[in-house]
Amino acid sequence: MTATRHLVGLLLGTEDDWPTAFEEILRRLGPVQDPSGGSHEFDVERITIEPFSLRYRPRYDLVIDRLAYWYYHPREWLKKVAMMDGVYLLNSPFTFQSMEKHAAYCAMMRLGLKIPDTVLVPYKNPVDNARYAYTSSRYNQPFDLDAIAEQIGYPLFMKPYDGGAWRGVSRIRNRDELHAAYDASGEMLMHLQKAIDFDVFARSLSIGAETMVMRFQPDEPMHARYAVDHSFLPAQAGAEVVTIGRLVNAFFRWEFNSCETLVKDGEVYPIDYANACPDVALTSLHYYFPWAMKALVKWSVFALVTGRKAKLDLETDRFFAVADDPHLSYQEKLEGYRVLADEYFDAARYYDFCASRLPHLDEIVLDWVAGPDFDELLVKTVKSTYPAHEHDRFIAHLRGLLDLWVRDESSRLPTA
Ligand SMILES: Nc1ncnc2c1ncn2[C@@H]1O[C@H](COP(=O)(O)OP(=O)(O)O)[C@@H](O)[C@H]1O
Ligand SMILES: [Mg+2]
């Protein structure tokens, strides 16, 4: 029987670390057998940006994208290959582009999640459009910013409706800070949002049917934001954080996304979950990097070998039916959402596939991370990320965390 070859395309910005890891793990994995004995082989290519005819046939079967959120030529290429050629995408630009933070807030409020109270205020400064003066003088109503803030209550957050990477985010304690932040917002469209005085910040990274919940320390520098801590949430809050991440992703058809939730007295408040182009850099994920790379490889291989079809349509009605059922409690709704999400991600089949088709992947990755090739990648990544005087410190820091992962993983895996 001849092997089926699948081509994975990577659409990249400046990063070289995780693409190298992804390519290496897939190479070491080798061919994968499907349940009927067919063999599947995988090639990976980094996609270059070129003119394209809208009728050309792409060579790729699956594309992982970390570029199109800001670079529009490849974004339009993704739309073409998704719409016309059935290329499997992580993620579909159709929903990612249109579901900015604001729409994502609306969707999850509609589903009954505990999104803190949020108000959208009009632009502070005139937008650059010849029609603005007339429209604004006729239709923009005067409003009382202080009254809105007082209704929400201090402290509160002011942040862009489509934000990301903490651009324009400020924590506001009083009237003066409120006006200073609004005056500075200029042409950014801003939300005011009630602050949650959280006990713990949980950031979950989801890749296909898998989710890793990590303790996040937002005030730390990038390399120290994820703490290695395996039991920082009570079981129920932990399960809720996982369900919320899966729900967001299944609802929007995102398969590679991160979700930020604040936990206070056991209650889970999602605040930022439209990050469908998440950071997976070795320098920020450190201990969790091998997990993320394995999950990306497993999900890509699963999608390709099982012929998983991308869905461009959202089935919002199925989720709204759960939200609108008056007989269901909040917990029961979460359970209902979890069923829909697991169905979307074909979770049972995915886990069965990993166990039966990729049984050696854990050992392959452990062997690689414990060996010299990974260390070379680590050193190269540090050298390209930090200034020279910080190299030694960050190499030691990352080596320490990855050694810890190797030890934990060695004791987790059954010895052969
Ligand atoms: N409602 C809130 N309560 C408490 N902290 C918040 C709230 N909203 C934002 N923050 C803080 O501000 C940071 C940035 O806000 P976020 O909504 O995540 O925007 P971005 O998309 O720029 O990451 C969060 O990581 C968190 O530390
Ligand atoms: Mg955030």
Side-chain angles (χ1 to χ4, degrees), residues 109-120:
M109 284 187 191
R110 172 74 175 81
L111 297 183
L113 299 194
K114 296 167 187 163
I115 313 302
D117 284 345
T118 307
V119 174
L120 184 68

Side-chain angles (χ1 to χ4, degrees), residues 80-144:
K80 175 255 180 306
V81 302
M83 183 70 91
M84 297 176 68
D85 310 301
V87 177
Y88 198 93
L89 302 181
L90 275 63
N91 288 293
S92 161
F94 291 109
T95 61
F96 180 33
Q97 189 189 342
S98 56
M99 301 297 162
E100 72 317 288
K101 192 180 258 152
H102 176 78
Y105 280 156
C106 296
M108 293 304 118
M109 284 187 191
R110 172 74 175 81
L111 297 183
L113 299 194
K114 296 167 187 163
I115 313 302
D117 284 345
T118 307
V119 174
L120 184 68
V121 291
Y123 293 103
K124 167 67 189 176
N125 288 349
V127 285
D128 183 18
N129 187 306
R131 289 164 293 197
Y132 180 79
Y134 176 83
T135 304
S136 160
S137 65
R138 183 143 186 207
Y139 298 110
N140 261 26
Q141 293 293 315
F143 67 96
D144 185 344

Side-chain angles (χ1 to χ4, degrees), residues 101 105 116 157 159 163-167 169 193-198 201 216 218-219 260 262 271-272 275:
K101 192 180 258 152
Y105 280 156
F157 274 80
K159 49 189 190 178
W166 293 46
R167 176 178 54 86
V169 177
Q193 184 174 77
K194 187 170 179 52
I196 303 295
D197 177 22
F198 56 89
F201 190 133
F216 196 62
D219 300 331
E260 297 179 354
L262 305 179
I271 55 145
D272 182 17
N275 299 306

